[in-house]
Amino acid sequence: QVQLEESGGDAVQSGGSLRLTCKVSGLMTTSYCLTWIRQRQHGEREGVAGIDSDGIATYRDSVKGRFTISRLNADNTFDLQMNSLTPEDQAMYYCAVGSQVLYKMDGYWRCDFDDMGQGTQVTVSS
């Protein structure tokens, strides 16, 4: 079973930056997708960014040009660099891993994840 642990969440002002990190353990497959998901208070869970073992990356439209997801690093972590944060980015952020590469459905890249972390809170004040 894959275990995931997020870190890096914090409170920042609008326009600020944060780097979230997900530590991955137990990933045994060479084909996988890594993804960051967020959930705002009283909101639904939504995909933010994803990348797979082939290097294909995808981003939610609202974060394109501001967020960057990394590939799996040598220390089995992957990151989400978030710049130009706005109050709309405030949410609990979760990392998740799937045992297949990204696939396209209805015009969108998707990661069918099997495991998800406990989350890290990002707070953005205006």
Side-chain angles (χ1 to χ4, degrees):
Q1 184 180 356
V2 177
Q3 293 185 320
L4 304 162
E5 183 177 358
E6 303 92 342
S7 62
D10 205 346
V12 296
Q13 289 191 328
S14 185
S17 298
L18 281 175
R19 187 176 192 88
L20 305 183
T21 296
C22 179
K23 183 168 179 60
V24 183
S25 59
L27 182 62
M28 305 300 289
T29 177
T30 56
S31 293
Y32 54 80
C33 56
L34 313 172
T35 187
W36 286 95
I37 300 154
R38 69 186 180 190
Q39 186 167 18
R40 298 187 184 92
Q41 191 176 18
H42 309 304
E44 294 186 353
R45 195 179 292 173
E46 58 186 27
V48 176
I51 192 166
D52 67 14
S53 46
D54 291 338
I56 295 174
T58 183
Y59 297 91
R60 182 174 198 81
D61 284 347
S62 62
V63 307
K64 283 180 182 176
R66 301 189 297 123
F67 289 14
T68 303
I69 187 171
S70 76
R71 302 187 72 161
L72 193 65
N73 300 313
D75 60 356
N76 287 328
T77 64
F78 68 101
D79 305 310
L80 182 69
Q81 177 66 42
M82 306 187 295
N83 299 327
S84 302
L85 285 162
T86 75
E88 287 67 42
D89 297 315
Q90 177 166 313
M92 184 70 80
Y93 283 72
Y94 304 87
C95 61
V97 174
S99 55
Q100 301 178 49
V101 296
L102 294 173
Y103 68 97
K104 224 166 189 180
M105 188 171 80
D106 298 331
Y108 293 94
W109 288 104
R110 297 178 186 274
C111 172
D112 280 345
F113 58 89
D114 308 301
D115 302 281
M116 192 168 73
Q118 296 299 307
T120 186
Q121 177 67 39
V122 172
T123 301
V124 186
S125 58
S126 57

